[in-house]
Amino acid sequence: MANGAKRFFKIFSKNIKELTAAAPYQVNGLRVICVHCQYDRFDHGNAQLNTALLSFLNLDFANRSANILTCDRCGYVHWFNKDIKKVRT
């Protein structure tokens, strides 16, 4: 039992590292390359696109959000209004 649990946690931690590690991405079928340093590994996130009216009405949750990719080398933030796709390497 102890060996099985140990093996499970080893595989689990490896999969978590792969999911959270910087990776290459595509947008509309084109590979994303950093415009600042030409690197191709990014961390993915989302950002809320607030508008004055909905913020005034305290309805920020109703605003759209954008996909952001942060370059793993230089930290330059790329904003996308389209869906992005993680590329398997």
Side-chain angles (χ1 to χ4, degrees):
M1 178 75 176
N3 285 339
K6 192 175 188 179
R7 193 169 138 254
F8 168 78
F9 283 111
K10 186 175 181 180
I11 293 170
F12 180 75
S13 66
K14 180 184 174 195
N15 289 336
I16 291 295
K17 286 179 185 175
E18 288 177 7
L19 287 173
T20 59
Y25 285 86
Q26 284 184 349
V27 177
N28 286 339
L30 299 172
R31 187 96 178 235
V32 179
I33 303 294
C34 179
V35 298
H36 182 69
C37 71
Q38 308 305 310
Y39 197 56
D40 69 343
R41 305 279 180 200
F42 300 89
D43 292 316
H44 176 254
N46 293 303
Q48 186 111 19
L49 301 174
N50 291 336
T51 60
L53 177 62
L54 290 179
S55 292
F56 177 75
L57 298 174
N58 202 22
L59 296 172
D60 288 320
F61 67 89
N63 285 310
R64 295 184 342 180
S65 61
N67 287 302
I68 59 170
L69 294 177
T70 305
C71 178
D72 194 48
R73 180 186 288 162
C74 71
Y76 189 90
V77 179
H78 300 74
W79 291 70
F80 295 95
N81 197 19
K82 304 272 184 190
D83 289 332
I84 62 173
K85 181 180 175 186
K86 191 176 200 177
V87 177
R88 302 264 178 194
T89 54

